[in-house]
Amino acid sequence: MSSSASTDRARKQVRLSRRLGVALTPKAVKHFENRPYPPGEHGRARRRTESDYALRLREKQLLRAQYGIREAQLRRAVDEAKRHPERTGDVLVQLLESRLDAVVLRAGFARTSRQARQAVTHQHVLVDGQRVDRPSYRVRPGQVVEIAEKSKRLDPFLVAAAGGHADVLPAVPPYLRVDLAGLTVAVLRPSVREEVPVTCDVSKVVEYYSR
């Protein structure tokens, strides 16, 4: 990717962060702290009262942005969560957390959800010793995810193994057991909503798709 394309993508993420009210990438953090209001000439003005629909739409966009997934992927996850007897919002987050790219990010092997997705699609990631290149692959409890041996010598993974992302990522959640130096993570059990470092009112996401 060219530097100009990378810069444009970073700017879009900053604007999206300001619009949603959450810093979505490490680069967006500083910009968001300096300008904690929506983009545009009226961004400094206090938000007018949002309708119920606008609130639900915003939460849906916020959840999508934090996982870096497409609309169709989120809709499928919601539909699947609705079929479970447990609370739909909790199951939805559990399903999203079981994505391979989410596990790679939570383990600290990547700095952003985009980097985690690229690590998977570029075939740097193994699940139980087998190469998997689908970010949406669902990792089950008991499975082990690791960076391929040859890939461990690449600069991005050397940085990760040395704890280079600790300044921007939340602590590893308790449903994962991580050997950061070895770039290996075991999924111990399904996640619990309260343990997941995602900022979102998931109930409003479910309401959005139930309208």
Side-chain angles (χ1 to χ4, degrees):
M1 179 185 294
S2 67
S3 59
S4 61
S6 179
T7 299
D8 288 344
R9 185 179 296 277
R11 287 173 178 168
K12 288 179 181 178
Q13 286 297 96
V14 169
R15 288 181 63 83
L16 181 59
S17 295
R18 289 172 57 198
R19 180 159 60 84
L20 295 176
V22 173
L24 298 170
T25 66
K27 286 186 178 179
V29 172
K30 184 176 181 180
H31 292 277
F32 186 74
E33 288 176 347
N34 292 336
R35 298 180 179 181
Y37 46 83
E41 61 177 310
H42 302 298
R44 290 179 184 272
R46 185 169 57 184
R47 289 181 186 270
R48 63 184 179 183
T49 302
E50 294 181 296
S51 67
D52 287 343
Y53 172 77
L55 289 171
R56 293 193 293 267
L57 175 62
R58 179 182 176 279
E59 293 302 313
K60 185 266 292 187
Q61 292 172 327
L62 183 57
L63 188 63
R64 270 192 60 201
Q66 288 178 90
Y67 282 99
I69 57 177
R70 298 188 301 274
E71 174 69 23
Q73 292 175 311
L74 179 55
R75 181 180 289 276
R76 282 197 297 271
V78 172
D79 289 343
E80 181 176 350
K82 286 180 178 178
R83 296 195 292 269
H84 285 253
E86 294 83 5
R87 190 161 55 181
T88 301
D90 292 348
V91 176
L92 173 60
V93 173
Q94 193 175 95
L95 292 173
L96 295 175
E97 282 296 295
S98 70
R99 288 174 55 96
L100 180 55
D101 54 356
V103 173
V104 169
L105 178 64
R106 297 286 180 250
F109 301 166
R111 194 170 181 84
T112 65
S113 60
R114 176 174 173 77
Q115 286 185 6
R117 189 163 56 254
Q118 287 180 330
V120 177
T121 57
H122 293 175
Q123 301 187 348
H124 297 303
V125 179
L126 309 178
V127 179
D128 289 343
Q130 301 297 314
R131 204 175 299 273
V132 178
D133 60 4
R134 286 192 300 110
S136 62
Y137 175 90
R138 187 167 300 166
V139 186
R140 308 287 182 178
Q143 290 189 302
V144 175
V145 175
E146 62 183 318
I147 301 302
E149 199 61 39
K150 289 185 178 179
S151 301
K152 290 178 181 179
R153 298 193 287 270
L154 299 176
D155 285 345
F157 298 117
L158 290 174
V159 171
H165 304 324
D167 60 325
V168 296
L169 295 178
V172 175
Y175 45 90
L176 302 177
R177 183 177 66 236
V178 176
D179 173 7
L180 192 57
L183 294 175
T184 300
V185 53
V187 177
L188 303 178
R189 57 174 172 78
S191 64
V192 175
R193 173 66 185 101
E194 291 73 19
E195 303 169 334
V196 178
V198 166
T199 301
C200 178
D201 184 344
V202 186
S203 65
K204 292 193 179 301
V205 179
V206 176
E207 290 173 7
Y208 174 86
Y209 287 106
S210 299
R211 71 189 193 282

